[in-house]
Every structure is written in structure tokens, then in C-alpha cells.
């Protein structure tokens, strides 16, 4: 356990970048247009099931998926080498809620036009489960990569997550439901008395959050926090930790 904690950020980065490397195989499972296309044919696709599982996970683990496993997150963290500008979160992050609403509505309308969901096809729009092997999949794959790249390079640290990602909204919704009903879930917890305002937590936050300010306000709950543990591991005073409550 001690060696896991010592190497936690290395392990996290390795996992999330490996997830990005697997994206040619997996991108169909996180592609909203392909989920909608499946729904219009009355099919519960593998992607739809992944979205439902992500929602369920968020009820207990918040946005842990974003911090540890999301391939789009892995791609954006690679771009930190080129642009690690902190994102102005409040300005345009409402766009992702509009994106989510548009996609959610289109899935519901697609299900209605198909007369309901009648079959399950886990490997829908893949060739034996491999996304890129499907005929005509390459433009969709490269389109997604280019789109995420534009956000990462123009907006800054995890710009796509902050401004556009509809999957983020699924998890934010799950987290808000949990916070309303309050069952045990994974959180950050901080002791402001230990904090020396060195700001290493803020500098190391891949979401560009002002973690030092969160510690000072005594409120570590933030819809943009992906529970990556970057701040936990960067703090020289061990003022921040993971907690379940
Ligand atoms: S606040 Fe901490 S756990 Fe949350 S995203 Fe930032 S570094 Fe990661
Ligand atoms: S890294 Fe720790 S000590 Fe430094 S500002 Fe953040 S919480 Fe405070």
C-alpha cells in the first residue's frame, strides 16, 4: 500500500495514458453519435451500457473515471507539455451542459422513433469489438482526436473536460444526487490548520483548480474535481487526503 501511495501519480498517469493508447479499440464505447445511431435502430449498444456504468460509478466515486481511466483525459494530459495554462472555469463551462442536453434529447428521440430499445449489441459499430477496424470508423476516430486536441491546445489544462465533455455532466449529475441524499462516497478531505499556503496543490491540479483556496474555505467539494489525487500527493504537509464519508 505504501509503495502504491508513493507512486500513485505515476500509476495514475500510466493508466490514463494506456487508456488513450487503447482508444482506437475503444472509441465507439464513448462516442455519443454512435450511441444515438444505435438507439435509432432500437439497440442498446456497448457505449450506452458504458455510460450507464459511468453514471452508477459516479454515485460512489464522483469523477474518478475522469482522473484515472478516461482516454480523452489521457490525451489532454499529454498536451500539458505544450499548453498547461489554467482554464478560466466559470466563463464557458456551461457549454458542456448544453452539449449533454442536446445529446440526451437526441438519444431519447432516437429511442422513440425506433419504438423502444429491443435488442442488446455490445459490439455495435465495431469489428469484433475493435472500433477502428469497422469500415468507415477512421474519420470518426480522427475527428474526435482533432476535436479534443483543439480544446487542449487552445483553452488549456483539460479544456475539453471543462467546456465540452457530456460524460462529465453524467458524473456531475451522479455526484449531485449523492450529495443530496448523502450516502458514503469517495471525497477529498483537508485540514486547513496544516496548510502553509505553498500552493503546490494548485500547481499540480490537472484540472487547474485553486485547491489552496478550497482548503482555506474548508470545502473540497468541486464539480470539476476528478479525484486524481494530484493535490493529495503534492502537499508537503499532508493537509489533503482521500476520505470516504
Ligand atoms: S482538486 Fe486534487 S483531486 Fe481534484 S482534480 Fe485537482 S488535484 Fe485532482
Ligand atoms: S500543497 Fe498543502 S500546504 Fe501547500 S497550499 Fe496546498 S494544502 Fe496548503
Amino acid at each position: 500500500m505504501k509503495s502504491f501511495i508513493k507512486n500513485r501519480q505515476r500509476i495514475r498517469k500510466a493508466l490514463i495514458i494506456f487508456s488513450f493508447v487503447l482508444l482506437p479499440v475503444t472509441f465507439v464505447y464513448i462516442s455519443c453519435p454512435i450511441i444515438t445511431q444505435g438507439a435509432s435502430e432500437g439497440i442498446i449498444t456497448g457505449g450506452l451500457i458504458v455510460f450507464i456504468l459511468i453514471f452508477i460509478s459516479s454515485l460512489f466515486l464522483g469523477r474518478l473515471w475522469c482522473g484515472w481511466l478516461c482516454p480523452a483525459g489521457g490525451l489532454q494530459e499529454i498536451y500539458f507539455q505544450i499548453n498547461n495554462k489554467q482554464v478560466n472555469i466559470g466563463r464557458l463551462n456551461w457549454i458542456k451542459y448544453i452539449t449533454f442536453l442536446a445529446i440526451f434529447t437526441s438519444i431519447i428521440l432516437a429511442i422513440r422513433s425506433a419504438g423502444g430499445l429491443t435488442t442488446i449489441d455490445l459490439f455495435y459499430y465495431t469489428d469484433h469489438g475493435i472500433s477502428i477496424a469497422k469500415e468507415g470508423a477512421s474519420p470518426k476516430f480522427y475527428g474526435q482526436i482533432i476535436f479534443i486536441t483543439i480544446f487542449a491546445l487552445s483553452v488549456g489544462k483539460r479544456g475539453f473536460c471543462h467546456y465540452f465533455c457530456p460524460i462529465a455532466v453524467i458524473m456531475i449529475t451522479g455526484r449531485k444526487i449523492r450529495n443530496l441524499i448523502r450516502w458514503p462516497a469517495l471525497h477529498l478531505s483537508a485540514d486547513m490548520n496544516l496548510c502553509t499556503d505553498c500552493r503546490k496543490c494548485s500547481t499540480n491540479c490537472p484540472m487547474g483548480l485553486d485547491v489552496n483556496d478550497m482548503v482555506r474555505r474548508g470545502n473540497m467539494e468541486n464539480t470539476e474535481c476528478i479525484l486524481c489525487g494530484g493535490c493529495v500527493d503534492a502537499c508537503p504537509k499532508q493537509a489533503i487526503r482521500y476520505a470516504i464519508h
Side-chain angles (χ1 to χ4, degrees):
M1 190 64 183
K2 261 189 185 163
S3 86
F4 170 75
I5 292 173
K6 202 170 146 220
N7 293 303
R8 181 161 42 202
Q9 288 311 306
R10 271 201 212 110
I11 294 167
R12 185 190 75 79
K13 279 177 193 155
L15 266 177
I16 204 163
I17 288 170
F18 181 63
S19 174
F20 164 63
V21 171
L22 282 182
L23 192 59
V25 177
T26 60
F27 81 88
V28 156
Y29 301 97
I30 54 166
S31 169
C32 299
I34 292 168
I35 291 170
T36 310
Q37 186 179 320
S40 71
E41 296 166 31
I43 298 170
I44 300 170
T45 58
L48 186 57
I49 291 171
V50 167
F51 276 23
I52 292 167
L53 290 176
I54 286 175
F55 172 71
I56 293 169
S57 82
S58 71
L59 296 171
F60 304 94
L61 301 172
R63 291 181 64 181
L64 198 74
W65 154 271
C66 307
W68 287 76
L69 285 175
C70 177
L75 174 59
Q76 289 175 91
E77 292 201 14
I78 292 169
Y79 288 131
F80 285 2
Q81 311 298 325
I82 303 171
N83 184 3
N84 71 350
K85 193 177 80 184
Q86 199 151 322
V87 173
N88 186 342
I89 297 163
R91 211 157 53 97
L92 292 172
N93 81 340
W94 52 267
I95 295 173
K96 65 175 177 282
Y97 294 93
I98 307 282
T99 318
F100 171 78
L101 268 182
I103 289 165
F104 185 74
T105 309
S106 67
I107 291 174
I108 298 294
L109 291 177
I111 294 171
R112 269 192 65 180
S113 77
L117 295 168
T118 49
T119 49
I120 299 177
D121 182 356
L122 294 181
F123 299 138
Y124 179 81
Y125 208 84
T126 69
D127 186 345
H128 296 86
I130 299 171
S131 305
I132 198 85
K134 174 82 180 169
E135 207 187 323
S138 292
K140 290 189 175 72
F141 171 70
Y142 289 113
Q144 280 191 18
I145 297 281
I146 290 167
F147 197 59
I148 294 165
T149 299
I150 289 168
F151 275 91
L153 296 183
S154 60
V155 177
K157 273 182 166 182
R158 287 208 177 221
F160 177 80
C161 311
H162 285 299
Y163 286 179
F164 197 83
C165 183
I167 305 177
V169 179
I170 294 176
M171 283 172 281
I172 291 170
T173 308
R175 184 60 158 202
K176 283 187 183 292
I177 293 171
R178 182 269 153 200
N179 287 347
L180 211 63
I181 303 175
R182 306 197 81 77
W183 53 74
L186 187 67
H187 288 274
L188 290 180
S189 174
D191 183 346
M192 69 175 85
N193 298 316
L194 295 176
C195 178
T196 55
D197 296 318
C198 71
R199 295 192 59 78
K200 285 189 178 155
C201 49
S202 303
T203 313
N204 281 282
C205 176
M207 292 298 276
L209 304 179
D210 188 347
V211 191
N212 181 205
D213 181 59
M214 288 157 63
V215 171
R216 281 288 161 210
R217 284 188 289 109
N219 181 8
M220 299 303 287
E221 190 64 23
N222 188 312
T223 51
E224 298 301 307
C225 172
I226 56 173
L227 291 171
C228 67
C231 55
V232 178
D233 296 320
C235 178
K237 299 292 173 189
Q238 283 87 48
I240 311 170
R241 61 184 177 87
Y242 279 117
I244 296 176
H245 54 79

